[in-house]
Amino acid sequence: MDLRDATTEDVDDIRETARASLSASYSHALSADLIDDAVESWYDAETVTDALAGENAVFVVAVEDGDIVGFVQSQLVERREPVGELDWLHVHPDHRGKGIGDDLLRRAETELLELGAERLEGRVLEANEAGGEFYEREGFAEIGDRTVEIGNEQFRERVFARFPSGDGEQVLTEARVTDDGEQVYVAYDEAERASEAPFYATYTDRERTEREGYVCGNCGSFAVSVDTMDRVECSECGNKRKASRWDAAYL
């Protein structure tokens, strides 16, 4: 099995690999028509060509006996810090269990880190339990979820992340300095779901003995307020988490 960068000549094989992989992983949750529509939309020639042309794209295929049996589609994006987004990782169901997904992930991770990624982020639909287990085995931590639209239907998508340090170890607690010059420690494995991106818990010490507040995962701001109903909102970008308590005034 060989790994190489995808080319525009691979479009048909990429599309059929995606179709077979999605059918195997999601046929219990998505109709065959919905899977077909998604594949034709996401992996038509123009869309794949545009993805390959991206300056910070990492699109790698796995080839066995001349046939494409898997691929990983990813890219570097600029948020608060550079993030390596793993958009899709597909392995043809006839070739699963051989470590191809592991090899594709390693290749994408290496290239994304070389491009400057400080965090890796993968997403998988909640219905794909095996996909979530794959990221957990690879050392990713679940940091939140979001709602995505496929066709005209809404689905919950789990978000996983790795925060590799210089020596390749997972970093779940990061020292940060606020705009006021205060030293805080961000716990990336303590995330709260919100409208745009998770809020991460912050502490005054690395051991997490004294809670400080939140940092916004969408814009990186520490200007996050919490009201008496546990409603959390970032004053910089408007990212918010709904109230988690009932207001007795309305009872």
Side-chain angles (χ1 to χ4, degrees):
M1 193 272 295
D2 295 320
L3 300 179
R4 62 167 173 80
D5 292 337
T7 72
T8 55
E9 297 179 356
D10 297 325
V11 170
D12 290 341
D13 290 336
I14 286 172
R15 182 164 53 243
E16 292 313 308
T17 298
R19 188 190 313 277
S21 176
L22 287 168
S23 296
S25 299
Y26 295 110
S27 60
H28 63 290
L30 306 178
S31 69
D33 288 342
L34 188 58
I35 290 174
D36 285 341
D37 289 345
V39 170
E40 294 305 319
S41 174
W42 298 338
Y43 296 107
D44 68 349
E46 182 178 356
T47 301
V48 174
T49 298
D50 288 344
L52 292 173
E55 181 179 356
N56 293 318
V58 176
F59 205 138
V60 178
V61 294
V63 182
E64 189 170 280
D65 297 329
D67 297 323
I68 290 177
V69 297
F71 68 88
V72 59
Q73 180 183 356
S74 59
Q75 60 187 330
L76 182 75
V77 298
E78 293 291 340
R79 298 190 199 166
R80 178 185 63 82
E81 71 283 328
V83 177
E85 290 186 345
L86 300 159
D87 293 332
W88 290 103
L89 196 161
H90 287 298
V91 177
H92 194 286
D94 293 343
H95 295 270
R96 293 179 178 179
K98 301 178 181 180
I100 294 173
D102 299 333
D103 291 341
L104 284 166
L105 179 61
R106 300 274 189 279
R107 170 71 174 264
E109 180 174 353
T110 297
E111 294 195 23
L112 289 167
L113 292 177
E114 289 176 350
L115 287 171
E118 297 180 14
R119 179 171 93 237
L120 301 173
E121 190 174 284
R123 299 180 294 274
V124 61
L125 294 184
E126 183 180 34
N128 185 0
E129 294 183 6
E133 292 170 357
F134 169 78
Y135 279 117
E136 289 170 348
R137 287 198 309 272
E138 294 293 338
F140 282 67
E142 186 170 357
I143 62 170
D145 60 14
R146 66 175 191 169
T147 300
V148 296
E149 183 173 305
I150 302 177
N152 294 320
E153 300 182 42
Q154 300 288 324
F155 297 90
R156 180 174 176 263
E157 190 174 54
R158 302 167 68 191
V159 182
F160 294 85
R162 272 177 53 90
F163 301 83
S165 63
D167 57 8
E169 293 297 319
Q170 174 86 311
V171 176
L172 294 177
T173 305
E174 180 187 27
R176 295 274 304 279
V177 178
T178 70
D179 293 338
D180 297 330
E182 180 184 0
Q183 177 78 67
V184 297
Y185 295 86
V186 180
Y188 287 110
D189 55 337
E190 296 184 27
E192 297 284 349
R193 180 183 180 186
S195 58
E196 301 298 330
F199 288 108
Y200 301 110
T202 61
Y203 292 82
T204 60
D205 59 320
R206 188 176 294 278
E207 290 71 30
R208 307 186 189 182
T209 60
E210 186 176 349
R211 181 67 183 271
E212 174 69 18
Y214 290 103
V215 62
C216 178
N218 187 52
C219 69
S221 174
F222 290 93
V224 177
S225 61
V226 183
D227 65 17
T228 57
M229 304 301 296
D230 273 350
R231 184 182 294 105
V232 184
E233 183 170 359
C234 175
S235 63
E236 293 293 327
C237 68
N239 186 27
K240 64 181 64 177
R241 186 194 72 181
K242 293 181 180 179
S244 62
R245 301 177 185 174
W246 290 100
D247 188 341
Y250 291 93
L251 296 180

